[in-house]
Amino acid sequence: MTLTASAKPLGPARPPAVRRAWRKVSPYAYIAPFFTLFAAFGLFPLLYTAFVSLYRVELQTPGEMEWRGLGNYTALLGDEFFWTSLRNTFTIGVLSTVPQLVMALGLAHLLNYRLRGRTFLRTAMLLPYATSVAAATLVFAQLFGRDFGLINYVLGLVGFGPVDWQTGTVASQIAVSTIVIWRWTGYNALIYLAGMQSIPSELYEAAEMDGASRRRQFFHVTLPGLRPTIVFTVIVSTIGATQLFGEPLLFEGSISGGISHQYQTLGLYMYEQGWGFFHLGRAAAIAWVMFLLILVLVGVNALVARRRSRKEAGR
């Protein structure tokens, strides 16, 4: 005798209307946690900072707000230290970003070939990125010491006099840029390496059959294939350079960025105004200036990349 078991539902069946409604609502329910967190910790602080930038607010009395309109912004335009920090941000950004990306591209090109210990080298490249900003900056501050620093010792061996890396304008900016280069070169190199490995090997084989050397393959195969990756790293590095804060703060331990503000960035200037002079309204205005500056720089980078892509596509 054969027993036939009928499948029983685990629970009460949902009405068709409820099922249709759930199908429409469920995607939004799945992504709701992300947008909730973004609204609470991303959008609200951004909008509230814009609101505070229109008032005179002191850190000691945050509840007492005096309407200023665009007064905080016009005060920045008349502050020479704002223009100094803006110029320093641009200079340090160029000194750190350009050599960093060039070195990262060269290292990625070398690691793209079959070398012994490639896995170890790739892991070692991420160690500076994994190192704490505070620890790295304190070590480099000792290396760039005027009297007992290793850098000046090496310069003395080749016949150069000691350099005051913390007081000189150009020297201090080079020192801060060196810390940024050391921390981020390996990270960008691995990004470039991932982009290189996504380029079809048939392109290299065809170029090699045409007699192209490795140098010509790099310029005519690797670089065109890496263009989206290069644009990405340039944009991310530009954002990071505009927000540079930890390295200049810990290099000498001064929120003014040196005796004459010689390496004070916009991030450090904002911190000085808000938590050094207690002007929260002006600090909020500086934050929004940095935000608008990032939008402009990213837009310019994207526009240049798009125009270049169109020119090459029209050839």
Side-chain angles (χ1 to χ4, degrees):
M1 177 175 158
T2 304
L3 296 177
T4 303
S6 59
K8 296 182 179 181
L10 297 178
R14 294 180 178 178
V18 175
R19 288 199 299 269
R20 287 195 300 268
W22 173 248
R23 290 194 188 100
K24 293 180 180 179
V25 175
S26 60
Y28 301 99
Y30 293 140
I31 64 176
F34 166 77
F35 285 101
T36 302
L37 292 175
F38 173 75
F41 300 101
L43 186 60
F44 173 74
L46 183 67
L47 298 178
Y48 186 73
T49 301
F51 172 75
V52 173
S53 68
L54 303 177
Y55 288 84
R56 182 195 301 275
V57 187
E58 300 299 324
L59 184 61
Q60 303 94 326
T61 55
E64 300 178 6
M65 305 176 68
E66 178 185 348
W67 172 259
R68 291 202 65 189
L70 298 178
N72 288 323
Y73 294 92
T74 56
L76 291 179
L77 299 179
D79 188 356
E80 62 173 334
F81 293 126
F82 166 74
W83 296 106
T84 301
S85 62
L86 180 62
R87 183 176 62 251
N88 293 340
T89 301
F90 175 79
T91 305
I92 296 176
V94 173
L95 290 175
S96 61
T97 300
V98 176
Q100 172 194 149
L101 297 183
V102 172
M103 292 171 59
L105 194 59
L107 291 173
H109 182 61
L110 291 176
L111 288 177
N112 197 30
Y113 294 101
R114 293 184 177 180
L115 300 174
R116 291 183 178 179
R118 285 188 303 171
T119 304
F120 171 76
L121 293 176
R122 294 173 184 176
T123 305
M125 281 189 176
L126 276 180
L127 291 180
Y129 171 71
T131 305
S132 169
V133 179
T137 306
L138 292 177
V139 170
F140 273 88
Q142 298 298 320
L143 293 177
F144 284 103
R146 184 186 63 180
D147 299 324
F148 304 103
L150 180 61
I151 305 299
N152 279 342
Y153 174 75
V154 174
L155 291 177
L157 294 179
V158 295
F160 291 96
V163 178
D164 193 348
W165 296 101
Q166 294 183 341
T167 304
T169 301
V170 178
S172 60
Q173 293 181 2
I174 291 176
V176 173
S177 301
T178 303
I179 306 172
V180 180
I181 293 172
W182 180 81
R183 291 197 69 240
W184 292 97
T185 298
Y187 175 82
N188 288 309
L190 292 183
I191 293 179
Y192 287 148
L193 180 61
M196 289 179 183
Q197 292 180 346
S198 66
I199 299 175
S201 59
E202 292 81 4
L203 297 178
Y204 290 101
E205 294 174 359
E208 188 174 357
M209 292 179 62
D210 291 338
S213 61
R214 286 188 175 183
R215 179 176 176 274
R216 294 180 63 86
Q217 291 178 24
F218 176 76
F219 285 101
H220 296 282
V221 178
T222 304
L223 285 183
L226 279 181
R227 183 169 294 110
T229 308
I230 293 175
V231 172
F232 169 76
T233 55
V234 169
I235 291 176
V236 172
S237 299
T238 300
I239 295 174
T242 307
Q243 297 177 334
L244 192 63
F245 174 74
E247 289 84 350
L249 174 64
L250 298 173
F251 181 64
E252 193 183 4
S254 171
I255 62 175
S256 60
I259 299 176
S260 57
H261 299 252
Q262 67 269 17
Y263 59 89
Q264 185 182 50
T265 59
L266 283 175
L268 202 55
Y269 178 67
M270 178 185 65
Y271 183 82
E272 180 187 43
Q273 291 295 320
W275 283 264
F277 300 149
F278 311 122
H279 303 322
L280 291 184
R282 184 172 295 188
I286 299 170
W288 259 86
V289 169
M290 293 172 60
F291 175 70
L292 297 177
L293 181 62
I294 289 174
L295 290 182
V296 171
L297 293 176
V298 171
V300 170
N301 286 329
L303 183 62
V304 171
R306 183 177 300 179
R307 286 187 176 180
R308 187 166 182 176
S309 299
R310 288 180 178 177
K311 287 182 180 179
E312 294 185 355
R315 290 179 182 176

